[in-house]
Amino acid sequence: MDYEKYRRSFIMLAPQGGDGAAEGSQAEGCLKVETGNNKGALRCVVKNLNYGQEDAYDYQLLFLGKKKEKIIHALFGQIKINGKGNGEAYYRFDPLNMDGKGNAYHDFTVAIVAASSRTDPREPLHPVLRGTAPGEGQGREALCGDEEQKGEGPGAEA
């Protein structure tokens, strides 16, 4: 088996504040990302989040980055939390078009788990966990394992 076609990364998520974390504990989490062959899979695991109270939050996973002086974002979706405050989510994505607008996985540098209010849709998101994605400087061939794609795109030598 050829395991070199796939690239795996592990992103530790550090706590960002008190909003969304369960009382008396500190929120923690991680992301496991695997890309290759124009496919991507991401598993998000979180612990010690606030759940069960009326004023509790829903939790969203999103990625942020900067491309050509513009801030880009990709919202992956909701993370289901159990009664103990632990949760897990699994997503499949296209590493070359992560947000549906042509932005690749390597364009995103920050992964955030944010709390959104269940009762007030106008309330801003509260970042609970944050991690730095190892995307900067990786090209298309590193993400997809395509040997024939080398040399394409901006910055390629002619």
Side-chain angles (χ1 to χ4, degrees):
M1 292 187 153
D2 186 12
Y3 290 106
E4 293 180 19
K5 317 197 288 194
Y6 294 96
R7 186 172 218 54
R8 293 174 182 90
S9 60
F10 190 77
I11 303 169
M12 290 300 299
L13 299 174
Q16 291 299 300
D19 288 345
E23 288 192 31
S25 62
Q26 193 171 27
E28 57 187 58
C30 66
L31 296 175
K32 299 173 189 173
V33 183
E34 182 176 314
T35 58
N37 288 340
N38 293 331
K39 297 176 187 172
L42 181 143
R43 181 174 306 276
C44 178
V45 179
V46 293
K47 294 180 182 179
N48 301 329
L49 296 180
N50 189 7
Y51 191 79
Q53 294 83 7
E54 288 183 21
D55 60 344
Y57 298 99
D58 287 330
Y59 296 92
Q60 309 286 331
L61 174 64
L62 59 121
F63 280 80
L64 297 173
K66 194 171 188 180
K67 185 176 182 183
K68 296 182 183 176
E69 303 302 321
K70 289 179 71 176
I71 295 176
I72 56 175
H73 71 280
L75 179 64
F76 267 79
Q78 190 171 352
I79 302 170
K80 302 288 185 187
I81 307 298
N82 66 16
K84 295 181 180 180
N86 302 331
E88 188 171 334
Y90 183 78
Y91 305 101
R92 291 197 177 269
F93 65 96
D94 179 1
L96 300 176
N97 187 12
M98 202 160 122
D99 61 352
K101 299 176 186 169
N103 296 312
Y105 172 67
H106 68 272
D107 294 329
F108 296 90
T109 55
V110 177
I112 295 176
V113 174
S116 62
S117 175
R118 292 182 185 166
T119 56
D120 184 10
R122 301 184 81 181
E123 184 178 340
L125 295 175
H126 303 284
V128 179
L129 297 167
R130 177 186 182 273
T132 303
E136 196 64 35
Q138 293 181 0
R140 175 187 172 100
E141 66 278 352
L143 291 172
C144 303
D146 298 339
E147 294 301 319
E148 60 215 9
Q149 299 293 339
K150 287 185 180 179
E152 290 183 5
E157 296 181 47

